[in-house]
Amino acid sequence: MKKEYTITVYTENQIGLINKIAIIFTRRKINIESLNTSPSEVEGIHRFTIVINETEDVVRKLSRQIEKLLDVLKVDFNTDEEIIWQEMALYKVAADVITEKVKVERLLREQGARAVVIRKDFIIFECTGQREEINNLIKTLEPYGLLEFVRSARIAIIKKSDGFHNKVKDFEYRVPSEALVENEFLDQNEGIFSM
Amino acid sequence: MTANPAQNIDTKDKIVKQATGSKALLDALIQEGVKTIFGYPGGAIMPVYDALYDYNDQLEHILVRHEQGAIHAAQGFARVSGKTGVVFATSGPGATNLVTGLADAMIDSTPVVCITGQVFAHLLGTDAFQETDVINITTPVTKWSYQVTNAEEIPHVIAKAFYIASTGRPGPVVIDITKNAQLQIFDYQGYEKCLHIRSYKPKPEVRHAYIEEAAKVINEAKRPFVIYGQGVILGNAEQEFRAFIEKGNFPSAWTILGMGAVPTDHELSVGMLGMHGNYGPNLLTNECDVLIAVGMRFDDRVTGRLDKYAKQAKIIHLDIDPAEIDKNVKSTVAIWGDCKETLPLLTNLIQKNENKDWLQKFKDCSIKETEKVIFPEQNPTSEILTMAEVLKYINEITHGDAIIVTDVGQHQMVACRYAQLNKTRSNITSGGLGTMGFALPAAIGAKYGAPERQVIAIIGDGGFQMTLQELGTIMQANVNVKIIILNNQFLGMVRQWQELFHHNRYSFVNITSPDYVKLASAYNIDAKKVDKRAELKSTLKDILSHDNPFVLEVMVGKENNVFPMVPQGRGVSEIILSKEEL
């Protein structure tokens, strides 16, 4: 059964890697719902957060293909229940309509939003939250003429993970000629590391 | 031309010297033990070729007639020698001509390093003359591709390229070097081989718990069946594999690329798997209770319909590539790792077994297949020559010691079904991609990979015409390969399918050939055409003892089919022995 999975990819900071990862999805005609890439807490290591709707079997195979890429250090995949995730959205609305018709204070309080820019001609609100929360604010603002809307890709933290920081440090400190110890998360199928 | 030692770079004493990127590249190749390069020069790689002029005593360059020929030759070289093949090509069309070979090497896990020239860095992205986006074109068909724009990167990148291409599951690497980087003079600090890349995992750690679990499953088996692929050969694990199957007395069948890992006439060898494989191994895949897959990837040509594949069996899958585990066939126990390491561990834990009745079942199938297909094909009663009898005579003459290089099509299936191979790394063919035009250049490379061995290229009339310009390479370098064109005047495999599945509608499979004897003669290569049985064996004997390359055209039956066959969309146990069973 298909459901939403969040794939977390730790990579070297290499030109073209986003393309290499994207190819793995396009080759199988799988649509990426959301993709975020940014530096991680470790210098030189980037973190991709990719959201897709697929079966666990397909996600597992995809993750193995991604982890096979030369510049990829590790891949995890999780269901929504296993992660804390957020998106951010910006909403632009005409200032006059809002100030006349909406009780802004109440709106901000109820929707967990805040105003980031207030100008004579428009106001920009920001909301951070899960899909439902972001969609709720769209619904609220739409009747008053939502001029522009943008939402970010998902970012997520895996609940059970201790982070990748120590793991990467371990990689870095290893003597180059030492035999590699890999797939050390193989035995933890029930835990966070599914690879 | 001899090299000018004064211009060479001495890296042993680690003295910093000024060098161009091109010289650093060639020095890196020498440090990696490269002796042979297949290539074709052009504008964007001219600085490398200019530097090569001074290295003729250390690096042998084979000038091919097309870049596709270069990479197939490098593949043949790599597959036979176990070393990494090296290719030079220029930018744009030179680089794009490599793409077929890269895809072929990728799917068949062949270690190749391709060095492509690229336009000056300042021209990148401007649609400059002969500029193509090589990295993005080749990314899906390479294990790694990287563009160098600064000469200082070259030693490190080349070291990385060889490490990546040759370790773990091998594969092709493209290093695209801009012309300014080739020309740039920099402080060359010497060359160091790469032994570690942080994000690269060549070998998974062996999990003893899984070995124990697999051994338990195997020891409980009543009808164990081993299927093996090229992973055994790539892992140099032939001896370990043999010890494994001999201890358990397992009937063992090979995939097209695993062929020769153990001698084809080994008493436990029960034949080839797959669409045109042998009857027993296909049929009995659906009767075994434990299927032990070693270094093979359950290709669809092996499995047929997955929902009808070995459903009754517990599957044990040994593979170095974690992405192959459970990709096509769900395993009961997966052993991730290099089979050179994992097989002995498994062998230690399995019990000796006779499997007499079970082995007899394979023998019974073999008898049936021999009666209905093999004997009639090898000993035809009509005057028309068959491909199988050509192979029969080659076996008699070479005693299974030759390297057989095949192209793609009916002749390939016939060669893989009937060739006797005593030695590993003797079956060179395009397995995964099925590249017509592969064999002629691959045979050239195979000869450079194993100069002491007899190399016989068996090629269909269709595939031969795809890369026949490489006769020029054979002529110029006098590469002693024997080329046997099995001419059935058709694109035979497509014609077979059209006959069996498209109501004899022979749509564009009728192919006319040039006069191959005259063609070979134009290239100063000896040649002969045979269409009579009386001449066949003696001619084969003559050409195989000939001191120079030879082209032999054998006219074979126009509408012969290759059987047995697992028709597409059917399960392996639905294998048919003749057209009548369709």
Side-chain angles (χ1 to χ4, degrees):
Chain A
M1 192 186 69
K2 285 188 182 183
K3 62 177 169 179
E4 196 164 83
Y5 280 92
T6 301
I7 300 171
T8 308
V9 186
Y10 293 94
T11 73
E12 298 287 357
N13 183 13
Q14 280 288 348
I15 291 169
L17 192 55
I18 195 163
N19 187 33
K20 291 178 185 179
I21 291 174
I23 284 169
I24 290 172
F25 292 89
T26 49
R27 219 184 138 182
R28 290 170 178 256
K29 283 192 87 71
I30 291 170
N31 189 37
I32 293 174
E33 302 292 332
S34 154
L35 186 152
N36 173 268
T37 173
S38 62
S40 73
E41 73 272 28
V42 183
E43 199 180 334
I45 301 292
H46 274 227
R47 179 172 176 150
F48 286 65
T49 305
I50 305 167
V51 182
I52 60 167
N53 275 305
E54 262 306 334
T55 62
E56 187 185 341
D57 186 47
V58 169
V59 175
R60 187 182 302 278
K61 286 173 185 173
L62 280 169
S63 300
R64 284 181 182 168
Q65 293 288 350
I66 297 168
E67 195 162 79
K68 209 173 135 176
L69 291 174
L70 248 299
D71 298 313
V72 171
L73 286 99
K74 200 170 87 59
V75 179
D76 296 322
F77 63 91
N78 297 91
T79 59
D80 288 354
E81 295 74 41
E82 296 166 339
I83 55 170
I84 304 296
W85 61 272
Q86 295 276 281
E87 290 171 7
M88 197 188 90
L90 297 174
Y91 312 73
K92 184 174 164 187
V93 285
D96 51 351
V97 182
I98 290 293
T99 48
E100 280 172 24
K101 298 182 180 173
V102 183
K103 290 180 180 169
V104 176
E105 272 183 39
R106 191 174 158 189
L107 179 142
L108 298 182
R109 204 168 47 245
E110 283 179 2
Q111 303 290 342
R114 68 188 181 97
V116 287
V117 172
I118 301 171
R119 285 178 30 161
K120 278 184 184 172
D121 48 350
F122 65 80
I123 300 174
I124 294 178
F125 294 110
E126 174 258 355
C127 177
T128 304
Q130 298 201 342
R131 190 170 308 140
E132 204 173 276
E133 293 155 322
I134 286 169
N135 290 348
N136 280 345
L137 190 53
I138 296 176
K139 277 183 201 161
T140 309
L141 291 174
E142 256 175 355
Y144 307 107
L146 186 58
L147 295 173
E148 205 173 329
F149 165 75
V150 62
R151 102 196 292 155
S152 74
R154 172 182 293 189
I155 54 170
I157 295 265
I158 302 162
K159 287 179 188 168
K160 288 185 183 173
S161 172
D162 293 331
F164 198 54
H165 190 89
N166 293 334
K167 203 51 69 182
V168 173
K169 290 283 177 199
D170 186 36
F171 271 121
E172 285 176 338
Y173 289 139
R174 239 174 245 156
V175 182
S177 58
E178 190 184 316
L180 289 168
V181 179
E182 291 145 15
N183 297 317
E184 50 207 304
F185 311 111
L186 250 181
D187 289 341
Q188 302 180 31
N189 287 338
E190 300 308 310
I192 50 166
F193 299 117
S194 306
M195 291 302 303
Chain B
M1 176 56 60
T2 54
N4 178 356
Q7 292 182 0
N8 287 349
I9 303 153
D10 185 0
T11 57
K12 286 173 189 161
D13 56 10
K14 298 278 181 191
I15 293 170
V16 175
K17 289 188 177 182
Q18 295 268 299
T20 62
S22 298
K23 282 201 169 190
L25 164 68
L26 298 183
D27 183 66
L29 298 182
I30 291 165
Q31 302 289 329
E32 286 290 343
V34 174
K35 290 193 169 53
T36 310
I37 298 161
F38 302 92
Y40 205 97
I45 199 167
M46 237 189 283
V48 170
Y49 272 86
D50 182 62
L52 190 61
Y53 197 72
D54 294 329
Y55 283 80
N56 272 359
D57 60 338
Q58 294 171 80
L59 293 167
E60 183 177 25
H61 178 273
I62 313 303
L63 177 66
V64 294
R65 295 302 183 265
H66 187 284
E67 289 86 353
Q68 187 183 357
I71 188 162
H72 290 330
Q75 289 176 269
F77 173 89
R79 296 266 285 276
V80 161
S81 67
K83 297 173 187 163
T84 301
V86 177
V87 175
F88 283 174
T90 193
S91 62
T96 56
N97 281 343
L98 298 176
V99 172
T100 304
L102 290 169
D104 195 293
M106 185 69 179
I107 201 163
D108 281 353
S109 311
T110 310
V112 177
V113 171
C114 296
I115 311 294
T116 53
Q118 181 55 278
V119 300
F120 282 91
H122 70 274
L123 293 174
L124 285 169
T126 65
D127 296 333
F129 177 67
Q130 293 197 328
E131 186 205 359
T132 49
D133 185 355
V134 173
I135 300 304
N136 277 315
I137 289 172
T138 59
T139 289
V141 289
T142 49
K143 191 170 172 188
W144 189 54
S145 55
Y146 188 81
Q147 188 172 65
V148 175
T149 52
N150 186 328
E152 287 175 14
E153 284 187 282
I154 288 175
H156 170 64
V157 168
I158 297 299
K160 209 170 153 183
F162 275 85
Y163 179 59
I164 291 165
S166 61
T167 54
R169 181 175 174 177
V173 170
V174 167
I175 305 299
D176 192 45
I177 309 178
T178 55
K179 201 166 175 179
N180 59 294
Q182 297 169 42
L183 292 164
Q184 183 189 339
I185 295 169
F186 71 111
D187 288 340
Y188 182 58
Q189 307 268 0
Y191 185 77
E192 273 184 46
K193 285 196 177 186
C194 176
L195 298 169
H196 171 85
I197 298 169
R198 182 169 67 175
S199 60
Y200 174 52
K201 307 158 182 173
K203 283 196 287 189
E205 186 194 8
V206 176
R207 294 289 168 132
H208 290 259
Y210 296 155
I211 304 261
E212 284 163 20
E213 204 180 327
K216 188 168 171 279
V217 173
I218 294 170
N219 287 335
E220 287 166 1
K222 299 277 181 270
R223 296 179 306 282
F225 179 32
V226 171
I227 57 179
Y228 62 97
Q230 196 190 198
V232 175
I233 297 168
L234 293 172
N236 296 315
E238 291 90 343
Q239 291 306 320
E240 290 80 359
F241 179 72
R242 198 167 163 159
F244 172 67
I245 59 169
E246 286 176 356
K247 185 172 182 187
N249 261 310
F250 303 125
S252 305
W254 62 81
T255 68
I256 188 169
L257 291 186
M259 185 182 185
V262 289
T264 47
D265 62 357
H266 188 281
E267 59 178 1
L268 292 167
S269 277
V270 294
M272 186 169 82
L273 297 160
M275 185 174 272
H276 291 287
N278 292 102
Y279 185 61
N282 275 306
L283 188 77
L284 298 174
T285 294
N286 281 359
E287 288 189 26
C288 66
D289 58 356
V290 175
L291 188 65
I292 308 155
V294 185
M296 57 84 70
R297 57 189 182 85
F298 291 108
D299 181 83
D300 57 276
R301 281 295 192 268
V302 162
T303 62
R305 258 179 74 159
L306 275 174
D307 60 345
K308 293 183 174 180
Y309 185 77
K311 287 292 164 199
Q312 79 296 340
K314 289 181 178 171
I315 311 277
I316 294 166
H317 193 177
L318 291 82
D319 207 293
I320 198 166
D321 181 357
E324 288 301 336
I325 303 291
D326 297 345
K327 187 176 87 176
N328 297 327
V329 173
K330 179 86 183 147
S331 55
T332 313
V333 185
I335 299 178
W336 298 6
D338 184 342
C339 60
K340 194 167 182 70
E341 292 172 36
T342 55
L343 277 170
L345 296 170
L346 194 54
T347 306
N348 277 344
L349 297 179
I350 60 167
Q351 293 159 1
K352 283 189 178 178
N353 216 327
E354 292 291 311
N355 293 320
K356 269 187 183 169
D357 294 344
W358 176 229
L359 278 163
Q360 188 57 43
K361 279 201 153 197
F362 285 89
K363 283 179 189 156
D364 293 343
C365 288
S366 178
I367 290 165
K368 188 174 175 184
E369 184 180 345
T370 302
E371 273 175 15
K372 289 197 84 169
V373 180
I374 297 172
F375 187 83
E377 280 293 316
Q378 289 186 324
N379 306 280
T381 49
S382 83
E383 288 182 1
I384 299 166
L385 298 180
T386 67
M387 296 184 185
E389 65 184 316
V390 176
L391 265 300
K392 181 182 78 170
Y393 292 134
I394 290 173
N395 289 341
E396 283 179 24
I397 298 162
T398 64
H399 306 290
D401 289 336
I403 291 168
I404 305 287
V405 185
T406 54
D407 214 77
V408 171
Q410 282 184 316
H411 73 277
Q412 176 192 29
M413 292 298 112
V414 170
C416 291
R417 281 180 50 76
Y418 294 99
Q420 185 193 329
L421 300 179
N422 295 338
K423 295 177 182 167
T424 187
R425 297 188 177 276
S426 297
N427 179 42
I428 311 302
T429 194
S430 170
L433 198 67
T435 305
M436 287 177 72
F438 173 83
L440 187 61
I444 295 170
K447 190 64 187 174
Y448 280 97
E452 71 292 352
R453 294 188 66 190
Q454 174 84 269
V455 175
I456 304 171
I458 298 172
I459 315 180
D461 44 327
F464 187 76
Q465 292 185 68
M466 283 202 175
T467 50
L468 62 77
Q469 74 277 6
E470 297 308 332
L471 287 176
T473 309
I474 292 171
M475 170 183 67
Q476 186 169 349
N478 193 31
V479 191
N480 187 4
V481 290
K482 314 303 180 194
I483 301 146
I484 300 174
I485 303 168
L486 299 180
N487 187 351
N488 59 6
Q489 303 166 68
F490 271 121
L491 300 177
M493 189 56 92
V494 183
R495 187 212 57 75
Q496 177 170 338
W497 278 57
Q498 289 175 343
E499 178 191 337
L500 300 180
F501 309 114
H502 294 271
H503 313 290
N504 289 60
R505 287 154 58 88
Y506 289 175
S507 184
F508 300 101
V509 285
N510 205 326
I511 187 168
T512 307
S513 288
D515 183 328
Y516 290 120
V517 176
K518 278 188 188 165
L519 183 80
S521 171
Y523 282 102
N524 283 327
I525 298 170
D526 294 327
K528 192 174 178 181
K529 179 176 181 175
V530 167
D531 56 8
K532 291 187 177 55
R533 183 159 296 121
E535 293 175 36
L536 181 60
K537 189 175 177 183
S538 60
T539 306
L540 281 167
K541 239 181 186 170
D542 289 346
I543 72 150
L544 293 177
S545 58
H546 195 65
D547 288 336
N548 289 309
F550 203 102
V551 172
L552 174 68
E553 180 187 12
V554 182
M555 301 306 293
V556 295
K558 281 189 78 173
E559 294 183 81
N560 278 1
N561 289 329
V562 188
F563 283 109
M565 181 179 193
V566 180
Q568 200 179 34
R570 303 232 190 131
V572 284
S573 51
E574 296 171 279
I575 186 167
I576 56 171
L577 287 165
S578 66
K579 186 181 170 182
E580 289 68 41
E581 292 178 34
L582 253 184

